[in-house]
Amino acid sequence: MFSVTVRDHVMIAHSLRGEVFGPAQRLHGATYVVDATFSRAELDSDDIVVDIGWATEALRGVLADLNYRNLDEVPELAGRNTTTEVLARLIADRLASRVEGGGLGDSASGLARIAVTLRESHIAWASYERSL
Amino acid sequence: MFSVTVRDHVMIAHSLRGEVFGPAQRLHGATYVVDATFSRAELDSDDIVVDIGWATEALRGVLADLNYRNLDEVPELAGRNTTTEVLARLIADRLASRVEGGGLGDSASGLARIAVTLRESHIAWASYERSL
Amino acid sequence: MFSVTVRDHVMIAHSLRGEVFGPAQRLHGATYVVDATFSRAELDSDDIVVDIGWATEALRGVLADLNYRNLDEVPELAGRNTTTEVLARLIADRLASRVEGGGLGDSASGLARIAVTLRESHIAWASYERSL
Amino acid sequence: MFSVTVRDHVMIAHSLRGEVFGPAQRLHGATYVVDATFSRAELDSDDIVVDIGWATEALRGVLADLNYRNLDEVPELAGRNTTTEVLARLIADRLASRVEGGGLGDSASGLARIAVTLRESHIAWASYERSL
Amino acid sequence: MFSVTVRDHVMIAHSLRGEVFGPAQRLHGATYVVDATFSRAELDSDDIVVDIGWATEALRGVLADLNYRNLDEVPELAGRNTTTEVLARLIADRLASRVEGGGLGDSASGLARIAVTLRESHIAWASYERSL
Amino acid sequence: MFSVTVRDHVMIAHSLRGEVFGPAQRLHGATYVVDATFSRAELDSDDIVVDIGWATEALRGVLADLNYRNLDEVPELAGRNTTTEVLARLIADRLASRVEGGGLGDSASGLARIAVTLRESHIAWASYERSL
């Protein structure tokens, strides 16, 4: 199995609902350093997993919808708890849509899996992995 | 699959038995930067893998039994080779016990796997992964 | 010259005022990984720059006043632009007050300088250094 | 499952063939920081995955054939696109040959998998994983 | 003293002249992860050292002239040894020219120093620092 | 001012004397990731600060005397508190001796300063800097 990972980041404000979150129930914020990993069993005809330029652009595009925002006020996130885990899945799902829509090139149809890791500090991170 | 990782560290002395260890047969020491990863297929009702506060406390508690010790003199490790691999398994198993004992909260019963990585330097690390 | 550095982090929301900040004028947030460096010309009688436990506690205490907050609503920051640079200076000044108040132990009176670095992502950070 | 990883690096020049590579079609270069991960289900009789000294030597040996070279002029790579993915597979396969040839010791016959990750910058890396 | 640092990278081929360079006399390559640090005694009227967006653009622009190139064939580098140290100075000097030419905004005239660090691997890096 | 840094590591056991050290008064251990930085105002005739190969060898040689040892039993450290700060100075002084003894080449006589940083974990490190 081959994989390629690209890294970017996003800076957001949000609050979390549930006693388990303690002080994180207050409006606060985070920088998420985001790693998006694309995997496939065999390389494409250019000997790559995915065009790294397009992968970088796709990740940047997905993050642009979140960047420098208060997630509590983003309509499509209304009523959802924007935990690191939920955001990892959201980003992975949106990347998957771009792959399926052809946004990462024709050969990206051979991708098997996407994994997204959000590092919220030097001591904590969360991941979500799904098939394509 | 979702996962959450928390990082802590432990500083110990020990010696290793076996010719394969060369100079590490002498009493020496290590800082292990320890990453504990908890995984599950679906998020719990708070939209998380595990309460990150409790995960952090659990890891700290497990490491506290080892920290600032000469492992050669820790009774429950008597007669064992405390290689990085063995310590990764020990820490994973003790975290698993805490999960099973309810120490990470009720919803932690939905956890599927634990992985523990011990980084002993900038150029070497070891991991152990097990199911729950 | 000797120095000792300890690392912690803080997660905040805020907005910045001024056209130069572009989209960061909106309410958003950041994780700052914070490095506090204490320096002195000669070691104290214990052969250290500063007690690393007390330094860690001092940094944690200073960050606790900011952590999980919307800085736009913190009274003592009212009317100030909480840029990374300003926060680095704020944290350094508060650490300096603790040093001068004896909070890092008697021998900390021999400290010469404090530097604070705030890493806001994997590609950007800011520092402030001052004498004591 | 247990694993052990060792890290080294290699500095090479090369060019890539295919429009998808854009400016990387020109002769340029890269430092690859290389992580080689060895995995097995059970530890050997010394309580290790593999002798870390021999693993380090094996990785150094494999990289020595590439280091400080223009890969466009290395005969055994003639006609191949030396993408990061292809190099990850090449290094993994050569490490596998060393394992199978006994170069990592007798107990290395119990190894189950090898994974190789090449980090080409702070924001991009590629991996290849195979069984043994 | 305040400082702000931005990070980018560049991938080049080159060869070095002089026996001291051993195998690096051959045509090979490197990824340099480049940190550019801008310093000043007092913040500007926006409470910043420099606009981080413009600093990032300036660094990207300076690196674009080198990126994906064989430095042995870049005319303005003809006859020069492109050691990591020399490249650090080259990048710092070109950033300084941009500052002096107004490319980082009017308030950048208050900058006091620029430092540039090139990380060529996980175990080696070089820096050059100069005044403005 | 130019500088070059090389990184290596050392794994030791030791105990510290003084109430300030709390549990670190017990025999324990550490991995120190060691960065040695060499600085000078002008480059030598090869356009470098110091031969990076010799710098790497010098650092390895200095660390070899400490590596895989219980520092409490190293005769030349008898009666000394081997704090991270003291070890940073010890390593810097031994590197300085090698420079002055010609061990880093003739042109190393132009070096102005040496700084040594010992990273004992992901959240704490100490440095010592001296002139040559």
Side-chain angles (χ1 to χ4, degrees):
Chain A
M1 181 69 77
F2 294 90
S3 72
V4 161
T5 302
V6 292
R7 174 171 284 186
D8 203 338
H9 73 286
V10 65
M11 302 178 83
I12 57 91
H14 68 157
S15 60
L16 298 172
R17 285 170 298 174
E19 281 182 35
V20 70
F21 298 108
Q25 294 173 279
R26 300 197 297 249
L27 182 63
H28 65 289
T31 305
Y32 295 113
V33 175
V34 184
D35 295 338
T37 299
F38 303 86
S39 302
R40 61 194 298 165
E42 301 297 335
L43 298 179
D44 74 5
S45 59
D46 286 309
D47 281 322
I48 56 176
V49 168
V50 66
D51 176 22
I52 211 168
W54 285 356
T56 299
E57 277 309 301
L59 180 58
R60 183 174 303 157
V62 167
L63 297 182
D65 293 337
L66 305 170
N67 207 8
Y68 294 119
R69 296 207 175 275
N70 176 359
L71 300 187
D72 294 356
E73 297 181 349
V74 173
E76 63 266 41
L77 298 175
R80 301 175 63 179
N81 236 356
T82 55
T83 62
T84 313
E85 294 90 326
V86 165
L87 291 172
R89 181 177 55 193
L90 178 80
I91 294 166
D93 287 348
R94 290 184 177 178
L95 286 172
S97 293
R98 289 187 178 228
V99 168
E100 288 157 4
L104 281 87
D106 286 350
S107 90
S109 62
L111 290 172
R113 302 187 70 73
I114 289 183
V116 169
T117 298
L118 268 64
R119 296 176 192 272
E120 70 178 54
S121 74
H122 62 303
I123 56 168
W125 52 96
S127 297
Y128 175 68
E129 184 172 12
R130 53 162 281 174
S131 57
L132 278 170
Chain B
M1 182 68 76
F2 293 90
S3 71
V4 161
T5 303
V6 292
R7 174 171 285 186
D8 203 338
H9 73 287
V10 66
M11 302 178 84
I12 58 90
H14 67 158
S15 60
L16 298 171
R17 286 170 297 175
E19 281 182 34
V20 70
F21 298 108
Q25 292 172 278
R26 301 197 296 249
L27 182 63
H28 65 290
T31 305
Y32 295 113
V33 176
V34 183
D35 296 337
T37 299
F38 302 86
S39 303
R40 62 194 298 165
E42 301 296 336
L43 298 179
D44 74 6
S45 59
D46 285 309
D47 281 321
I48 55 176
V49 167
V50 66
D51 177 21
I52 210 169
W54 284 357
T56 299
E57 276 310 301
L59 180 57
R60 184 174 303 155
V62 167
L63 297 182
D65 293 337
L66 305 171
N67 207 8
Y68 294 118
R69 295 208 176 277
N70 176 359
L71 300 187
D72 294 355
E73 297 181 350
V74 173
E76 61 266 42
L77 298 175
R80 300 174 63 179
N81 236 355
T82 55
T83 62
T84 313
E85 293 92 327
V86 164
L87 291 172
R89 182 176 56 194
L90 177 81
I91 294 166
D93 287 347
R94 289 184 178 180
L95 285 172
S97 293
R98 289 187 176 227
V99 168
E100 288 157 5
L104 281 86
D106 287 350
S107 90
S109 61
L111 290 172
R113 303 186 70 73
I114 289 182
V116 169
T117 298
L118 268 64
R119 297 176 191 272
E120 70 178 52
S121 74
H122 62 303
I123 55 168
W125 53 96
S127 297
Y128 174 68
E129 184 172 12
R130 54 161 281 174
S131 57
L132 278 171
Chain C
M1 180 70 77
F2 294 89
S3 72
V4 161
T5 303
V6 292
R7 174 171 285 186
D8 202 337
H9 73 286
V10 66
M11 303 178 82
I12 58 89
H14 67 157
S15 60
L16 298 172
R17 285 170 296 174
E19 280 182 35
V20 70
F21 297 107
Q25 292 173 278
R26 301 196 298 248
L27 182 64
H28 66 289
T31 306
Y32 295 112
V33 176
V34 184
D35 295 338
T37 300
F38 303 86
S39 303
R40 63 193 297 164
E42 300 297 335
L43 298 178
D44 74 5
S45 60
D46 287 308
D47 281 322
I48 56 176
V49 167
V50 66
D51 176 22
I52 210 167
W54 284 356
T56 299
E57 276 310 302
L59 180 57
R60 184 174 302 156
V62 166
L63 296 182
D65 293 338
L66 304 171
N67 208 7
Y68 294 119
R69 295 206 176 276
N70 176 0
L71 300 187
D72 294 356
E73 297 181 349
V74 173
E76 61 266 42
L77 298 176
R80 300 175 64 178
N81 236 356
T82 56
T83 61
T84 312
E85 293 91 325
V86 164
L87 292 172
R89 181 176 55 193
L90 178 81
I91 294 166
D93 286 348
R94 290 183 178 179
L95 286 172
S97 292
R98 290 189 177 227
V99 169
E100 287 157 4
L104 280 87
D106 287 350
S107 90
S109 61
L111 290 171
R113 302 186 71 73
I114 289 183
V116 169
T117 298
L118 268 65
R119 297 177 191 271
E120 69 178 55
S121 75
H122 62 303
I123 55 168
W125 52 96
S127 297
Y128 175 68
E129 185 172 12
R130 54 162 281 174
S131 57
L132 278 170
Chain D
M1 181 68 76
F2 294 90
S3 71
V4 161
T5 303
V6 292
R7 174 171 284 185
D8 203 337
H9 73 287
V10 65
M11 302 178 83
I12 57 90
H14 68 157
S15 59
L16 299 172
R17 285 169 297 175
E19 280 182 34
V20 71
F21 297 108
Q25 291 173 279
R26 301 196 297 248
L27 182 64
H28 65 290
T31 305
Y32 295 113
V33 175
V34 183
D35 295 338
T37 299
F38 303 87
S39 302
R40 62 193 297 163
E42 302 296 337
L43 298 179
D44 74 6
S45 59
D46 286 309
D47 282 322
I48 55 174
V49 167
V50 67
D51 176 22
I52 210 168
W54 284 356
T56 298
E57 277 310 301
L59 180 57
R60 184 173 304 157
V62 167
L63 297 182
D65 293 337
L66 304 171
N67 208 6
Y68 294 118
R69 295 207 176 276
N70 176 1
L71 300 187
D72 294 355
E73 296 182 349
V74 173
E76 62 266 41
L77 297 176
R80 301 176 63 178
N81 236 355
T82 54
T83 62
T84 313
E85 294 92 326
V86 165
L87 292 172
R89 181 175 56 194
L90 177 81
I91 294 167
D93 287 348
R94 290 185 178 178
L95 286 172
S97 292
R98 289 188 176 226
V99 168
E100 287 157 5
L104 281 87
D106 286 351
S107 90
S109 61
L111 290 172
R113 304 187 69 74
I114 288 182
V116 169
T117 298
L118 268 64
R119 296 176 192 272
E120 69 178 54
S121 74
H122 61 304
I123 56 167
W125 51 97
S127 296
Y128 175 69
E129 184 173 12
R130 54 161 282 174
S131 57
L132 278 171
Chain E
M1 181 69 76
F2 294 90
S3 71
V4 161
T5 303
V6 292
R7 174 171 283 186
D8 202 338
H9 73 286
V10 65
M11 302 178 83
I12 58 91
H14 67 157
S15 59
L16 298 172
R17 285 169 296 176
E19 280 182 36
V20 70
F21 298 107
Q25 293 173 276
R26 300 197 297 248
L27 182 63
H28 65 290
T31 306
Y32 295 112
V33 176
V34 184
D35 295 337
T37 299
F38 302 87
S39 304
R40 62 193 299 163
E42 301 297 334
L43 298 179
D44 74 6
S45 59
D46 286 307
D47 281 322
I48 55 176
V49 167
V50 67
D51 176 21
I52 210 168
W54 284 356
T56 299
E57 276 311 300
L59 180 58
R60 184 174 302 154
V62 166
L63 297 182
D65 293 337
L66 304 170
N67 207 9
Y68 294 119
R69 296 206 176 276
N70 176 359
L71 300 187
D72 294 355
E73 297 181 349
V74 173
E76 61 267 42
L77 298 175
R80 300 173 64 178
N81 236 357
T82 56
T83 62
T84 313
E85 293 91 327
V86 164
L87 292 172
R89 182 177 55 193
L90 178 80
I91 294 167
D93 286 348
R94 290 184 178 178
L95 286 171
S97 293
R98 290 188 177 227
V99 168
E100 287 157 4
L104 280 87
D106 286 351
S107 90
S109 61
L111 290 172
R113 303 187 68 75
I114 289 182
V116 169
T117 298
L118 268 64
R119 297 176 191 273
E120 69 178 53
S121 75
H122 61 304
I123 55 168
W125 52 96
S127 297
Y128 175 69
E129 184 173 11
R130 54 161 280 174
S131 57
L132 278 170
Chain F
M1 180 70 77
F2 294 89
S3 71
V4 161
T5 303
V6 292
R7 174 172 284 186
D8 202 337
H9 73 286
V10 66
M11 303 178 83
I12 58 91
H14 67 158
S15 60
L16 298 172
R17 284 170 296 175
E19 281 182 34
V20 70
F21 298 107
Q25 292 172 277
R26 300 198 297 249
L27 182 63
H28 65 290
T31 306
Y32 295 113
V33 175
V34 184
D35 296 336
T37 299
F38 303 86
S39 303
R40 63 193 297 165
E42 301 297 334
L43 298 179
D44 74 6
S45 59
D46 286 308
D47 281 322
I48 56 175
V49 167
V50 67
D51 176 22
I52 210 168
W54 284 357
T56 299
E57 276 310 300
L59 180 57
R60 184 174 302 155
V62 167
L63 297 182
D65 292 337
L66 305 170
N67 208 7
Y68 294 119
R69 295 207 177 276
N70 176 358
L71 300 187
D72 294 355
E73 297 181 350
V74 173
E76 62 266 41
L77 298 175
R80 299 174 65 180
N81 236 357
T82 55
T83 62
T84 313
E85 293 92 326
V86 164
L87 292 172
R89 182 176 54 193
L90 178 79
I91 294 166
D93 286 348
R94 290 184 177 178
L95 286 172
S97 293
R98 290 188 176 227
V99 168
E100 287 156 4
L104 280 88
D106 287 350
S107 90
S109 62
L111 290 171
R113 302 187 70 73
I114 289 183
V116 169
T117 298
L118 268 64
R119 296 176 192 273
E120 70 178 53
S121 75
H122 61 304
I123 55 168
W125 52 95
S127 297
Y128 175 68
E129 184 173 11
R130 54 161 281 175
S131 56
L132 279 171

